[in-house]
Amino acid sequence: MAAPTFPIDFKMKKRTKLAFAFLAGLAALQIHAAMPKLVVTIIVDQMRYDYLERFHDQFSHGGFRFLMDHGAFMTSAHYNYCPTVTAPGHASYLSGTPPAVHGIIGNDWFDRQKKKTIAAVYDPACEGVGTTSTNIHVSPLNFIGSNFADQLRLQYQSKVVSVSMKDRAAILPGGKKPNGAYWFESRTGNFITSSYYMSKLPDWLNAFNARALAERYRETNWNRLLPASAYQYPDDGVGEDHLIGETNVVFPHVIHYTTNDHYSAIQPTPFSNELLAELAKAAIEGEHLGDGSVPDLLCISFSAIDLGGHKFGPYSQEMQDLVLRLDRTLEDFFRFLDKRIGLKNCEIVLTADHGVAPLPEFAREYGLDAERVNETTLMTSLSNRLTHVYGTNDLFLSPNFHYGNLYYDFDKLKQRKIKPAALSSTIRKWAFSTGKFEEVYTRTQLLRGDAPGLIGKMVLNGYNAERSGDIVLTMKPYFIPSSGKTGTTHGTPYAYDADIPMLMFGSAFKPGRYAGDFAITDIVPTLCRTLHMDVPPGCIGKPFLAALKEK
C-alpha cells in the first residue's frame, strides 16, 4: 500500500473522527444496555453443595433448577479458609477477601484490648431502630476494607439493600453505606435496623411490619411437602434435636410461640424463608430497586436451613423438606422478579456461607469415627497438664477455645518466666495426646506462612494477625464441639463444611456445569468483570473466565 501523500484532506479526517466518536458512543450504549438493572445475591445459610445433587429430581423447574439449567453451575465451589461459620462467610462472599484480610474471624472472638468476647458486628456507638430494645448495638464497624456493594456504589451510585433473619447476615454483605440493612427481631416479629444506617425505618418497612406476617404462622403445622416415602432417611434420626415447645423430633411440627422470645420458633422452619422472601419483594418495590439506569443490588440471606440444620442435621427429613420448600420459595420469588423487572435484566448469584457436619451419632451408624467433644472438659484437661508442667494454669487471657484459638497472657508468662514457644510446645503435645485434634499451628508459624497442606492453607487464610489467637487447634474430621447430646455444627476445613453451591445467572454468563476450581473469593472478581468495575481492596480471588461470555 502506498504511503499517504500531502496535503491531507482535513475534512475527511474530521468526518473520520466523527464516525469513530459515533461508533464509540454506540458501543458504550450497547455495553450499558447489557448491564443488569438488578443484581441479586442470595446466600443460603448452611446449604451444602450435595443438596443440589441429592434433591435435584424433587426440585421445581423454577427454583434451584432454573439457576442450574439456565445459569453457570460451578460444581467445585468451596471455602478456602476456616472457620467456616456465618459471619466470616457473609463477610467473604461479597468482598473476595478471607478473614485474614477483612478481620471477621468468627461470629465472635476474644478482643485482646477489651479483654472480652465481642460479636462480629458489635458496635457500642449504635442503637436499634424500629425496636424498643436497648441492647442492640450493631454495625459493619469491625469489617476491614470494602466489598462489592461498596464498589458498586462508588462506580454507579447504585442503591443497595440487604436483608436476613440474622443481624450479621444482613449487615456484612451490605457494605459500609447501603441504603438499608434489615433483620428479624424475634421479640416482636418485626424487621429492624441500626442507627448506623438511619434514625427511623422507611415508610415501606413500617407498612410491611404492620402486616404482622410472623403472627400468621402461630400454631401452624409444618408438614412434609411430599409423601413420606419420598424422603431419603428415617424421620426419627438418632441425635436430632427438637423445636421450641416440642418434645418430639418427627413430623408434623408445630410453631409454638413463647411469651419470652415470642417469634423464635419460626426461625428454624421453612416459614421464615417465606417471610424473608416477602420482605425482599417489599424492599424491591419500596426502594424502587432495578427501576433506574444503573444496576442496583439486593442481598438476601436465608437462615432457616442453618437454624434447622443445627437441630436436625444434613441427613434428616426436616433438612430435605427445608431445602425443597426453599426451592418453591425461590421459584415464587423469581416469578416476582420476572414480572417486576424481567429476569433478562437481572444477575443472580446463589451460594452458601458454609456447610455442616453430620450428626456424630448418624456418622457412627455408617462406620465413621465421629464424636461430640466437650470443650469445657478439654480445657480442664489442658489446665491440669499446664499445672503439672508449670505449677499454674492461669496463662490465658480467656479460659475458652474460640474456634480453636487460645490467647496467651504474655504478662503472666513473663512473670512466670515461661517462654511462649515452650507453652506452645506443651499445648501441641497435649492436643495430640487427646486423640481429638488433627493439626496445631502457632502464631509464629502462621505469621511466617509456615502452614503446609490444605488444612494449613485454610487456617492461614482464616488467621488475622490483629484478632486471632496465639495458637490454633483443628479437630479431626467428624469431631464436633458439643456440650449436649443432640444437634450438630460446622466451622472446620473439611469438605462437609467447606463445599458449597455456586450458581450464577444472567446475560453475562454461559449456562452449563463447570468443574474447575472455584473459591468463594472468586465470586466478586467474576461479578466485577461482568459489570466493568474494579474489585475491592484485598480481594485475592480471580474471575472465572470459563463461565463468562466474550464481550
Side-chain angles (χ1 to χ4, degrees):
M1 180 182 293
T5 60
F6 293 90
I8 297 175
D9 186 344
F10 287 97
K11 289 184 179 179
M12 179 65 71
K13 185 175 181 182
K14 185 175 181 181
R15 287 196 296 270
T16 303
K17 283 184 177 180
L18 289 172
F20 275 123
F22 172 76
L23 291 173
L26 182 61
L29 286 173
Q30 290 174 336
I31 290 174
H32 190 267
M35 295 280 279
K37 293 183 176 181
L38 181 64
V39 179
V40 181
T41 64
I42 300 171
I43 191 164
V44 184
D45 204 326
Q46 203 190 104
M47 183 161 177
R48 294 171 24 150
Y49 160 76
D50 65 307
Y51 294 166
L52 292 181
E53 306 290 10
R54 283 167 53 193
F55 308 138
H56 174 272
D57 294 344
Q58 296 175 328
F59 289 149
S60 69
H61 287 281
F64 288 117
R65 281 180 65 175
F66 171 77
L67 299 180
M68 295 167 75
D69 294 342
H70 301 283
F73 179 16
M74 288 64 163
T75 59
S76 298
H78 59 91
Y79 274 83
N80 54 1
Y81 66 79
C82 65
T84 41
V85 293
T86 298
H90 283 76
S92 294
Y93 93 102
L94 283 188
S95 68
T97 64
V101 179
H102 60 59
I104 305 298
I105 61 172
N107 292 334
D108 51 49
W109 58 84
F110 185 80
D111 187 297
R112 296 176 189 274
Q113 282 69 44
K114 294 182 175 66
K115 291 190 168 45
K116 66 177 183 179
T117 299
I118 63 167
V121 291
Y122 175 68
D123 183 351
C126 297
E127 303 290 339
V129 172
T131 175
T132 58
S133 176
T134 59
N135 63 351
I136 296 172
H137 310 288
V138 291
S139 84
L141 172 70
N142 297 319
F143 178 87
I144 301 168
S146 68
N147 73 358
F148 174 74
D150 299 308
Q151 296 298 118
L152 197 65
R153 285 175 63 82
L154 285 170
Q155 180 90 359
Y156 297 112
Q157 295 77 54
S158 305
K159 290 182 179 178
V160 175
V161 176
S162 185
V163 297
S164 180
M165 299 298 283
K166 299 179 180 180
D167 56 3
R168 57 183 177 265
I171 290 170
L172 292 167
K176 295 291 188 179
K177 282 294 179 183
N179 295 79
Y182 309 104
W183 58 91
F184 186 70
E185 182 183 44
S186 59
R187 187 176 62 86
T188 61
N190 291 331
F191 284 86
I192 65 172
T193 190
S194 163
S195 60
Y196 172 87
Y197 303 104
M198 60 193 69
S199 59
K200 62 179 183 177
L201 296 181
D203 291 342
W204 68 263
L205 185 52
N206 283 324
F208 181 85
N209 284 334
R211 294 165 63 187
L213 295 185
E215 181 61 28
R216 298 182 184 181
Y217 293 104
R218 183 183 294 274
E219 300 302 314
T220 297
N221 277 14
W222 172 16
N223 293 302
R224 298 178 187 87
L225 180 67
L226 304 178
S229 59
Y231 291 76
Q232 295 180 346
Y233 294 97
D235 194 17
D236 58 346
V238 60
E240 292 184 12
D241 200 356
H242 56 79
L243 298 179
I244 293 173
E246 292 188 338
T247 56
N248 62 289
V249 297
V250 297
F251 282 106
H253 297 286
V254 183
I255 309 302
H256 294 296
Y257 290 151
T258 66
T259 56
N260 294 329
D261 200 9
H262 297 274
Y263 298 96
S264 288
I266 193 178
Q267 292 180 283
T269 76
F271 306 127
S272 73
N273 286 336
E274 295 176 6
L275 179 61
L276 189 70
E278 290 303 309
L279 176 68
K281 294 176 187 176
I284 290 172
E285 293 181 331
E287 296 288 348
H288 303 285
L289 299 179
D291 288 357
S293 58
V294 297
D296 293 326
L297 173 64
L298 174 65
C299 306
I300 309 172
S301 175
F302 290 104
S303 306
I305 285 178
D306 177 72
L307 298 167
H310 277 290
K311 291 179 176 294
F312 298 105
Y315 298 99
S316 62
Q317 289 196 7
E318 286 80 5
M319 179 52 65
Q320 184 172 348
D321 202 71
L322 278 163
V323 175
L324 295 180
R325 287 183 178 274
L326 176 59
D327 173 67
R328 274 58 170 185
T329 297
L330 290 173
E331 180 181 38
D332 175 75
F333 180 67
F334 293 158
R335 283 190 183 130
F336 170 85
L337 283 179
D338 195 33
K339 183 177 180 181
R340 171 81 189 185
I341 301 168
L343 283 173
K344 67 180 182 296
N345 299 315
C346 296
E347 273 188 7
I348 302 173
V349 174
L350 187 146
T351 188
D353 57 347
H354 54 73
V356 71
L359 298 163
E361 295 79 10
F362 178 92
R364 286 199 295 269
E365 285 187 344
Y366 283 78
L368 303 173
D369 295 326
E371 187 177 322
R372 296 183 183 277
V373 180
N374 189 313
E375 289 189 319
T376 301
T377 302
L378 270 183
M379 281 303 298
T380 299
S381 171
L382 175 56
S383 294
N384 291 338
R385 177 65 62 90
L386 296 180
T387 299
H388 175 74
V389 176
Y390 300 112
T392 181
N393 57 26
D394 187 20
L395 302 175
F396 303 119
L397 292 173
S398 170
N400 301 304
F401 288 101
H402 298 266
Y403 301 106
N405 284 253
L406 291 172
Y407 295 79
Y408 295 174
D409 188 331
F410 288 97
D411 289 337
K412 290 181 179 177
L413 289 180
K414 186 176 181 180
Q415 291 170 10
R416 292 163 174 76
K417 297 181 180 180
I418 301 171
K419 293 182 178 180
L423 177 58
S424 296
S425 179
T426 300
I427 294 172
R428 182 190 297 275
K429 291 175 183 177
W430 163 83
F432 291 134
S433 74
T434 67
K436 304 182 189 304
F437 293 98
E438 184 76 14
E439 298 286 356
V440 178
Y441 301 97
T442 67
R443 178 179 179 82
T444 301
Q445 279 181 278
L446 294 168
L447 290 182
R448 69 176 179 232
D450 184 17
L454 177 60
I455 295 176
K457 181 179 178 181
M458 293 180 73
V459 172
L460 187 60
N461 280 341
Y463 190 86
N464 181 268
E466 178 188 358
R467 297 173 178 174
S468 295
D470 298 294
I471 194 165
V472 183
L473 298 85
T474 302
M475 286 187 188
K476 290 182 175 180
Y478 302 112
F479 282 53
I480 66 168
S482 173
S483 58
K485 297 181 179 179
T486 58
T488 185
T489 192
H490 48 83
T492 74
Y494 305 119
Y496 51 73
D497 283 342
D499 289 356
I500 39 96
M502 179 55 58
L503 300 161
M504 291 183 163
F505 167 85
S507 61
F509 300 103
K510 293 188 291 187
R513 291 172 68 103
Y514 298 90
D517 182 77
F518 191 103
I520 193 67
T521 47
D522 294 336
I523 294 178
V524 165
T526 304
L527 279 179
C528 287
R529 181 64 67 94
T530 71
L531 297 173
H532 317 290
M533 51 188 270
D534 200 6
V535 298
C539 176
I540 68 167
K542 58 188 183 304
F544 195 81
L545 299 178
L548 297 180
K549 293 178 181 177
E550 294 183 4
K551 292 292 184 182

